[in-house]
Amino acid sequence: MENKQKKRRLAIVTGGGSGIGFCLARQLAKRGFCVVLVGRDEHHLRQAAKAIDSYGERAETVGGRGKKAEAIGGHSGNAEIFPCDLSKQNECRRLYEAYRRRPVSVLINSAGLGVYGEFGDTDLAEETEMLAVNCRAVHMLMKLFLSDMERRGGGWILNVASSAGLMPGGPYMAAYYAAKAYVVSLTRGVAKELRARCSPVYAGALCPGPVDTPFFERAGIRAAVKGADPETVARAALEGMRRRQTLIVPGASNRLACAAAKLLPSGSVLAVNRRIQAKKRKTE
Ligand SMILES: NC(=O)c1ccc[n+]([C@@H]2O[C@H](COP(=O)([O-])OP(=O)(O)OC[C@H]3O[C@@H](n4cnc5c(N)ncnc54)[C@H](OP(=O)(O)O)[C@@H]3O)[C@@H](O)[C@H]2O)c1
């Protein structure tokens, strides 16, 4: 049994403990993957893994922070947890080292956070942490797992960017928008290289508009518009991956906004974005 479990296709999902990452992980588990949920909050990851576990099939759990393998709640499941702080380079490496010899066929980089405020006022430490998670961790994990996937003859990498990454900029969330533009640009460039050499590995970027997740609460802001259902976004993401789309832009209104941002003068788009972002400020 242990060997059989070791051979099961693995999907690593950073940020798999909540929001879009959790929905993606749950849908991958439904499709027969053993999912590895990565995040900092071990308790949260356990709860998420238990929820995925309710889908039935058996899998083992690898403990994080250097611990030995540990079963979630002591019973079978489709999920493993790997507590890990992706803002730290050595933690990104630790994640890779823990899984490099296992059949990782899907990597989803969903972990991310937002920082809100005028650029001159936001906290530098918070912003550099955001850049480390939203950009460096995505960069490192994609680079590290990509070559192993190519050697094994296939794999799927999805980087959760944002429609923010397709905009000319986002006043009051300027660093977040810039970080997501980095993810979009990196993914597009890598995807083109992969296609040019007929690589069996897929790389794509998911660019949702606002989604109803804890993201806003964590960033200390309120949603300016009603967010999309994360389950629907996850389903669209997997469908986009199946079609090997490099840019997956879920939702009709989101697609329209992104298309308009391409066509309109960037000054006008920035002005609209400024108005939208200003509405996110909490006014208690
Ligand atoms: N919600 C939206 O409107 C929206 C729209 C477009 C794009 N996105 C993007 O979608 C992705 C997922 O966000 P979400 O909306 O699902 O929000 P979320 O529920 O807050 O998910 C973010 C996840 O990232 C993890 N994370 C944060 N910092 C981390 C760190 N240092 N190390 C490891 N994990 C870390 C969190 O887990 P821990 O706290 O346990 O570490 C959490 O599970 C993000 O990249 C976000 O930028 C969101």
Side-chain angles (χ1 to χ4, degrees):
M1 172 59 96
E2 196 172 306
N3 271 348
K4 205 170 151 198
Q5 284 174 12
K6 284 235 155 84
K7 279 185 193 143
R8 272 187 77 193
R9 291 180 309 162
L10 280 182
I12 294 180
V13 185
T14 74
S18 65
I20 300 169
F22 172 71
C23 293
L24 280 162
R26 190 162 56 179
Q27 292 190 22
L28 286 165
K30 266 169 107 174
R31 287 164 169 77
F33 283 90
C34 175
V35 293
V36 181
L37 310 180
V38 182
R40 289 161 305 177
D41 185 336
E42 188 166 346
H43 173 71
H44 210 157
L45 292 177
R46 276 177 197 283
Q47 305 279 95
K50 267 189 189 158
I52 288 171
D53 187 30
S54 66
Y55 283 106
E57 294 194 29
R58 198 172 156 66
E60 66 184 327
T61 298
V62 173
R65 303 194 198 285
K67 283 184 228 153
K68 265 192 80 71
E70 182 190 358
I72 290 164
H75 54 83
S76 62
N78 288 308
E80 302 181 4
I81 64 165
F82 195 89
C84 175
D85 183 351
L86 296 171
S87 68
K88 300 188 166 79
Q89 278 196 67
N90 60 337
E91 288 278 279
C92 296
R93 280 246 167 231
R94 187 170 68 83
L95 171 61
Y96 172 64
E97 292 299 336
Y99 286 95
R100 62 184 300 186
R101 283 181 192 83
R102 302 206 29 214
V104 177
S105 40
V106 175
L107 168 67
I108 296 191
N109 283 307
S110 186
L113 61 149
V115 176
Y116 184 88
E118 294 243 9
F119 185 68
D121 297 338
T122 47
D123 183 70
L124 181 59
E126 265 180 48
E127 230 163 34
T128 50
E129 181 195 341
M130 184 273 289
L131 293 174
V133 179
N134 293 16
C135 299
R136 189 177 63 197
V138 173
H139 186 126
M140 283 182 73
L141 295 175
M142 173 154 81
K143 195 172 190 80
L144 292 168
F145 282 105
L146 176 59
S147 44
D148 291 344
M149 285 178 177
E150 288 207 294
R151 223 175 308 114
R152 281 198 209 102
W156 306 77
I157 298 174
L158 182 72
N159 296 325
V160 181
S162 167
S163 56
L166 301 173
M167 299 286 158
Y172 311 130
M173 285 191 94
Y176 177 79
Y177 273 61
K180 291 303 184 183
Y182 177 88
V183 175
V184 168
S185 172
L186 178 74
T187 311
R188 288 177 111 170
V190 171
K192 190 75 182 171
E193 289 175 10
L194 295 175
R195 274 197 307 277
R197 63 168 190 268
C198 300
S199 167
V201 177
Y202 157 89
L206 176 65
C207 298
V211 186
D212 188 10
T213 72
F215 175 87
F216 296 94
E217 194 57 43
R218 288 178 179 201
I221 51 179
R222 58 192 172 103
V225 292
K226 186 173 163 29
D229 169 28
E231 203 67 45
T232 308
V233 170
R235 230 174 284 122
L238 294 182
E239 178 56 18
M241 288 168 80
R242 192 186 65 75
R243 293 191 192 166
R244 300 184 91 84
Q245 288 174 348
T246 301
L247 277 190
I248 304 168
V249 185
S253 54
N254 182 37
R255 274 194 294 278
L256 191 67
C258 292
K262 252 206 271 187
L263 297 173
L264 293 170
S266 58
S268 312
V269 178
L270 284 162
V272 171
N273 286 351
R274 194 193 70 78
R275 272 202 295 279
I276 294 172
Q277 294 304 326
K279 286 190 197 160
K280 291 184 179 170
R281 187 172 291 124
K282 274 196 169 164
T283 51
E284 68 276 75

